[in-house]
Amino acid sequence: QKEVEQNSGPLSVPEGAIASLNCTYSDRGSQSFFWYRQYSGKSPELIMFIYSNGDKEDGRFTAQLNKASQYVSLLIRDSQPSDSATYLCAPRDSGTYKYIFGTGTRLKVLA
Amino acid sequence: GAGVSQSPSNKVTEKGKDVELRCDPISGHTALYWYRQSLGQGLEFLIYFQGNSAPDKSGLPSDRFSAERTGGSVSTLTIQRTQQEDSAVYLCASSLELMGGEQYFGPGTRLTVT
């Protein structure tokens, strides 16, 4: 059973700080990785994806991937209260192409 | 362009009744996925389609659940003889193709079985 692990949180950070969300996965063959944001009562919204080792930046968001360590992270700079949500990590299964979702980390940005 | 749409947005049904949930993917997306999310829980994979074909039905919880996709577009998830434990939000997502591309979610259907 391929697994994705995330700290459930809540992770509380003050407004303006950097929030760091982490994810480990068991499928060594995974090649693509996705981060979704889910507000309470809403469906998941894609915010970042990364395919190569290293960093990928998009506005205030940076995704970091280390395939050797089977680790992917999401940094949110200048965190805002509107960033308060659950963040889901989803590597793509190498055998079936399914997305394997973690249970998510709840982020609370304190004003 | 239009995103993934789902209908109905909310469905309340009595235990033992059948329900049909509909998903209309993003135009041109060949891969379509169904998930279930119970209150406060993570996403549970149910089934995916590549075109009209469902290569992996392993996530369907029981034989009361079935899904089909016609014309490579709209998909219907059917739950027969609903049970209270079927109450959840049913989410549909689509991606350009199975082997690549990002997955986008619809707004979901909230199913309540009384």
Side-chain angles (χ1 to χ4, degrees), chain B residues 11-62:
Chain B
K11 177 71 177 179
V12 180
T13 190
E14 291 180 354
K15 177 181 172 181
K17 301 283 191 185
D18 297 352
V19 295
E20 284 190 353
L21 312 179
R22 176 189 167 108
C23 172
D24 206 336
I26 292 172
S27 178
H29 279 197
T30 63
L32 184 148
Y33 310 77
W34 283 99
Y35 298 87
R36 177 168 73 173
Q37 188 171 36
S38 301
L39 190 63
Q41 302 299 308
L43 270 71
E44 176 187 2
F45 167 80
L46 298 179
I47 190 170
Y48 73 75
F49 290 88
Q50 173 60 32
N52 293 332
S53 170
D56 186 349
K57 300 180 181 180
S58 63
L60 293 176
S62 75

Side-chain angles (χ1 to χ4, degrees), chain A residues 34 36 38 41-46 49 51 88 90 92 96-99 101-103, chain B residues 33 35 37 43 45 48 56 58 91 95 97-107:
Chain A
F34 302 83
Y36 288 83
Q38 187 173 27
K42 301 294 186 182
S43 61
E45 172 192 9
L46 179 66
F49 56 90
Y51 300 148
L88 304 170
R92 201 156 195 190
T96 65
Y97 305 107
K98 291 190 293 188
Y99 297 76
F101 281 85
T103 54
Chain B
Y33 310 77
Y35 298 87
Q37 188 171 36
L43 270 71
F45 167 80
Y48 73 75
D56 186 349
S58 63
L91 292 160
S95 63
E97 56 183 17
L98 188 63
M99 297 175 64
E102 300 80 57
Q103 180 182 215
Y104 296 92
F105 282 84

